[in-house]
């Protein structure tokens, strides 16, 4: 029997956000997988933000005793939070990590019955598979039949999000972490998922797309497309000249911005601001470093971080 690969899940949550039930739902969905696959190692890392008492928070949220929980006393941008966990993960330099299945479920996401098992089996049985993704939604579930297909770059741009991205560990070792100038908590407000997915796509041997809502998460709100426009422009523009497909995706996004202006969902000022942000941030992060980070990003000092591995 082939050696079982491990699963690594990276989640961050703000303890002040009042998402106790959502977090418990996520933990319970992972626990269901553990019960179905007891011989698989599941390493769930959790970064709690605005947290000053890890032990109390672990009890409050019902975390399992083997969860690796760290805490930041302050709120940090989402990309920074994910990279803090990736820092610790990649620092282990484990040989098992190269082949592991790595995912980034949000605190309000969950795995419907059978979904994580299906994704795990895909990575376990196909050693060439590096990047797999699907869609998400509040009515997500396990389809009766699944017709996967090789992914195009546009598929990854349009459908891959942090909640639906599943990567082989060796890809993380190649591309590093999330761009800390993009995403929630930055002036860009978005784009980190798209930028990360594009780097993963270019670095992967095999990328597969399951065009079904298989990961549970609140539905996308179309009314916030204008809010997310600048960050996505930066992400797409950064790689616009790497391939015809990437150039088309960038041009398509500019046309979407024009359409949003015509419908008065996006102001001309915000459209121009997106262009300014693109020219300011068009340089790609240096993936030769473990986690290439744009300059000027402020992160908590390590001395301000609390760490409790597999809390007792």
């Amino acid at each position: 029997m082939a050696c079982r690969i491990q699963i690594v899940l990276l989640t961050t949550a703000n303890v002040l956000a009042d998402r106790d039930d959502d977090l418990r739902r996520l933990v319970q969905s992972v626990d269901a997988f553990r019960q179905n696959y007891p011989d698989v190692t599941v390493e769930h890392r959790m970064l709690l933000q605005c947290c000053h008492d890890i032990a109390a928070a672990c009890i409050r949220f019902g975390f399992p005793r083997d969860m690796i929980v760290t805490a930041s006393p302050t709120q940090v941008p989402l990309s920074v939070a994910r990279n803090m966990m990736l820092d610790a993960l990649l620092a282990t330099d484990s040989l098992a990590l190269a082949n592991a299945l790595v995912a980034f479920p949000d605190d309000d996401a969950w795995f419907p019955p059978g979904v994580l098992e299906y994704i795990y089996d895909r990575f376990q049985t196909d050693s060439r598979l590096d990047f797999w993704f699907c869609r998400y939604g509040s009515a997500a579930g396990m389809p009766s039949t699944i017709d996967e297909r090789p992914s195009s770059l546009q598929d990854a741009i349009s459908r891959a999000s942090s909640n639906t991205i599943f990567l082989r560990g060796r890809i993380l070792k190649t591309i590093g972490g999330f761009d800390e100038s993009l995403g929630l908590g930055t002036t860009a407000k978005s784009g980190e998922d798209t930028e990360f997915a594009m780097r993963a796509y270019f670095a992967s041997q095999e990328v597969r797309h399951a065009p079904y809502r298989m990961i549970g998460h609140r539905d996308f709100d179309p009314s916030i497309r204008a809010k997310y426009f600048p960050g996505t422009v930066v992400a797409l523009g950064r790689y616009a000249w790497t391939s015809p497909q990437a150039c088309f995706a960038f041009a398509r996004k500019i046309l979407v911005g024009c359409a949003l202006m015509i419908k008065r969902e996006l102001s001309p000022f915000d459209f121009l601001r997106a262009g300014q942000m693109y020219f300011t941030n068009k340089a790609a992060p240096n993936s030769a470093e473990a986690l290439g980070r744009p300059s000027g990003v402020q992160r908590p000092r390590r001395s301000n971080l609390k760490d409790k591995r597999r809390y007792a």
Side-chain angles (χ1 to χ4, degrees), residues 108-158:
D108 58 345
W110 71 95
F111 301 108
V115 170
L116 191 53
E117 290 85 345
Y118 172 84
I119 299 169
Y120 178 86
D121 288 341
R122 290 290 291 109
F123 279 82
Q124 175 69 30
T125 58
D126 186 351
S127 61
R128 288 181 52 84
L129 181 60
D130 284 334
F131 181 6
W132 185 98
F133 64 96
C134 60
R135 301 177 66 182
Y136 67 81
S138 60
M142 183 67 189
S144 56
T145 58
I146 298 180
D147 182 20
E148 288 184 9
R149 62 190 185 201
S151 171
S152 67
L153 178 61
Q154 187 59 54
D155 287 333
I157 291 169
S158 300

Side-chain angles (χ1 to χ4, degrees), residues 69-141:
V69 184
T70 55
S72 169
T74 60
Q75 176 84 34
V76 297
L78 183 55
S79 292
V80 172
R82 289 173 179 154
N83 283 352
M84 289 163 64
M85 291 182 285
L86 281 171
D87 270 339
L89 177 65
L90 295 178
T92 62
D93 198 27
S94 168
L95 292 176
L97 175 60
N99 205 36
L101 168 58
V102 184
F104 310 87
D106 283 348
D107 57 349
D108 58 345
W110 71 95
F111 301 108
V115 170
L116 191 53
E117 290 85 345
Y118 172 84
I119 299 169
Y120 178 86
D121 288 341
R122 290 290 291 109
F123 279 82
Q124 175 69 30
T125 58
D126 186 351
S127 61
R128 288 181 52 84
L129 181 60
D130 284 334
F131 181 6
W132 185 98
F133 64 96
C134 60
R135 301 177 66 182
Y136 67 81
S138 60

Side-chain angles (χ1 to χ4, degrees), residues 12-25 60-61 106-109 184 217-218:
T12 184
N14 187 329
V15 299
L16 304 180
D18 193 25
R19 287 184 172 177
D20 295 34
D21 291 341
D22 292 334
L23 261 178
R24 292 191 191 100
R25 178 177 57 186
R60 167 184 161 188
F61 297 123
D106 283 348
D107 57 349
D108 58 345
L184 192 65
H217 190 266
R218 67 181 182 279

Side-chain angles (χ1 to χ4, degrees), residues 83 86-87 90 97-98 102 104 130-132 160 165-180 192-205 207 238-239 284-294:
N83 283 352
L86 281 171
D87 270 339
L90 295 178
L97 175 60
V102 184
F104 310 87
D130 284 334
F131 181 6
W132 185 98
I165 289 174
F166 295 82
L167 292 178
R168 189 80 66 174
R170 60 179 173 243
I171 299 302
L172 288 175
K173 288 176 173 286
T174 300
I175 69 174
F178 291 83
D179 183 343
E180 295 182 3
E192 84 287 4
D193 290 359
T194 300
E195 197 272 347
F196 184 76
M198 292 181 76
R199 278 189 285 132
Y201 181 89
F202 293 135
S204 297
Q205 293 182 78
V207 185
R238 183 171 289 166
Y239 303 102
N286 180 13
S287 59
E289 299 177 4
L291 291 172
R293 297 186 180 88

